[in-house]
Amino acid sequence: MPFPLYLLAVAIFAMGTSEFMLAGLLPSIAANLDVPVGTAGLLTSTFAIGMIVGAPLMAALARHWPQRSALLGFIWLFLAAHVLGAVTGSFAVLLVTRVVAALANAGFLAVALTAAAGLVPPDRKGRALAVLLSGTTVATIAGVPAGALLGTLLDWRATFWAVALLCLPATLGVLRGIPAQAGRPDRPTGPVLRGELAQLRRPRLALVMLLGALVNAATFGTFTFLAPIVTDAAGLGSLWVSAVLVLFGIGSFVGVTTAGRLSDHRPGLVVAVGGPLLLLGWVALAVSATHPVALLVLAFVQGALSFALGSTLIARVLYEAAGAPSMAGSYATAALNVGAAAGPLIAGATLNTGFAERGPLWASSVLVTVALLLALPFRRLIASGRPTSQPGDGATSPAAPPARQGSCDHQ
């Protein structure tokens, strides 16, 4: 894989840490800024909404910029938002900085996904995506626990400063790794924005985006509420929460790395094997969450399966959106973050039911079941190789073989 991919992953590590770090900081933020913890929770939901809205919005804004200029602009905006967040004494200002940071994060990820696809041969997009997503998985392993520890030892503002500092090597990486004019579309002949947005009407693209969102919703539905599962269901001490988070993060890194080697040429195998195993794992964890050993083992397993399946489906989004070269990354980013926003809402609603702290696990099981039922009629589509653009899409993918018959795009 080209070295610039790993430099982009450094920035995604910083942004992933920022996205998830508030889970351990909300009580101290609420106390410091004199707001209820529930109100402080708006910082998380507004970030997720900003990611969903920001992905296509920022990608459309930056579609005629050189990729290096766009990536640098988004990093600097992200850095500035964290510096302002670290010094403000106003919750309202902090809330605005989270929205700005989310827009910058969404824009960076959307452009980075497109840039990554352009740095590798057409049949290695899945492996390139795996390298980028490794930044997110490492954030769950190291960044989030380290942020929580830093916030405990110092205060929550120190974590914001640390994320801002992480942007500096990421900036250097973009400057050294991405050519100045890389990815600049040819305005007279490049696909117009209307044509790229029209790709969203293709059933093939809509299907893989929906499947990716469902699997990601299951992942983050449980990930968000691992703490009560560890302390209430399994009866472990609060220190074990970090241990389980780390196990889940290590598993996610293993899963996304392994799937990166299969998702380009054998995506059907990943879905056919990983999907049912993921469902069985969520059910097994829901049933055995009171047993600490089972919880620790399954946290690793579910992290691996969740990210293996999720990253494969997001890679299919990049393939299916080949007719939208400047917007494809935003479609993948939106699918990821629709799941990240919806999953915790669905899972959280189960906590006050008879399922109690195991409710999120059952919610994740249901979400994966829905994904598998939707995928079953179109298993040949998911198993197929790189798609060609459809007639009238306004773009071509010359390296792609003919699409197989029997998919959900009718000729």
Side-chain angles (χ1 to χ4, degrees):
M1 289 286 101
F3 185 64
L5 285 177
Y6 298 94
L7 299 176
L8 293 176
V10 173
I12 292 176
F13 165 74
M15 294 179 178
T17 299
S18 174
E19 182 174 4
F20 306 131
M21 69 182 182
L22 291 188
L25 301 176
L26 287 181
S28 58
I29 291 175
N32 182 253
L33 299 182
D34 195 25
V35 296
V37 174
T39 301
L42 291 173
L43 297 170
T44 299
S45 57
T46 53
F47 194 97
I49 294 170
M51 288 285 289
I52 296 168
V53 175
L57 182 63
M58 294 296 101
L61 177 66
R63 65 191 302 269
H64 288 305
W65 300 350
Q67 286 174 346
R68 188 167 79 172
S69 298
L71 293 171
L72 287 174
F74 288 131
I75 287 179
W76 291 338
L77 182 61
F78 185 81
L79 187 155
H82 281 76
V83 169
L84 181 57
V87 300
T88 186
S90 166
F91 178 78
V93 173
L94 182 61
L95 191 65
V96 171
T97 68
R98 294 305 287 169
V99 174
V100 172
L103 292 174
N105 188 351
F108 183 91
L109 185 56
V111 176
L113 287 170
T114 303
L119 290 172
V120 298
D123 62 346
R124 304 190 80 184
K125 290 181 182 179
R127 292 192 66 179
L129 176 67
V131 171
L132 290 186
L133 289 184
S134 68
T136 298
T137 60
V138 172
T140 65
I141 298 169
V144 175
L149 179 62
L150 187 61
T152 300
L153 295 177
L154 299 176
D155 64 10
W156 64 269
R157 298 178 189 276
T159 304
F160 276 68
W161 281 114
V163 170
L165 289 175
L166 280 173
C167 293
L168 298 180
T171 298
L172 181 61
V174 171
L175 284 170
R176 298 190 61 180
I178 305 297
Q181 297 300 314
R184 182 166 189 164
D186 184 0
R187 295 191 184 206
T189 60
V192 298
L193 181 60
R194 182 181 300 175
E196 296 202 42
L197 294 176
Q199 294 289 305
L200 291 170
R201 296 199 297 265
R202 296 184 58 221
R204 292 167 65 110
L205 176 57
L207 173 66
V208 290
M209 287 180 68
L210 176 59
L211 295 178
L214 285 168
V215 170
N216 206 47
T219 302
F220 284 95
T222 290
F223 181 83
T224 302
F225 297 102
L226 272 177
I229 294 171
V230 172
T231 57
D232 297 338
L236 296 172
S238 57
L239 289 177
W240 281 97
V241 174
S242 294
V244 174
L245 287 172
V246 169
L247 282 172
F248 188 93
I250 293 173
S252 67
F253 181 80
V254 172
V256 78
T257 303
T258 303
R261 300 179 179 277
L262 295 172
S263 60
D264 290 312
H265 302 291
R266 304 294 299 276
L269 177 64
V270 178
V271 176
V273 176
L277 287 177
L278 180 62
L279 173 58
L280 290 174
W282 286 131
V283 173
L285 188 51
V287 171
S288 61
T290 55
H291 302 284
V293 174
L295 172 62
L296 294 173
V297 172
L298 286 171
F300 171 84
V301 171
Q302 291 306 95
L305 291 172
S306 293
F307 274 79
L309 184 59
S311 65
T312 296
L313 291 169
I314 295 304
R316 301 319 299 170
V317 173
L318 295 178
Y319 279 121
E320 293 299 336
S326 65
M327 296 295 290
S330 72
Y331 300 158
T333 302
L336 276 168
N337 286 282
V338 166
L345 291 176
I346 296 170
T350 67
L351 291 172
N352 295 322
T353 67
F355 296 112
E357 62 275 358
R358 288 195 258 188
L361 297 167
W362 288 114
S364 294
S365 302
V366 171
L367 287 165
V368 174
T369 299
V370 173
L372 292 177
L373 290 175
L374 287 173
L376 184 61
F378 307 112
R379 58 190 181 277
R380 293 181 62 192
L381 159 66
I382 298 170
S384 66
R386 302 180 303 278
T388 55
S389 52
Q390 299 299 304
D393 281 348
T396 60
S397 180
R404 295 187 182 186
Q405 298 298 318
S407 74
C408 62
D409 258 355
H410 301 291
Q411 304 295 323

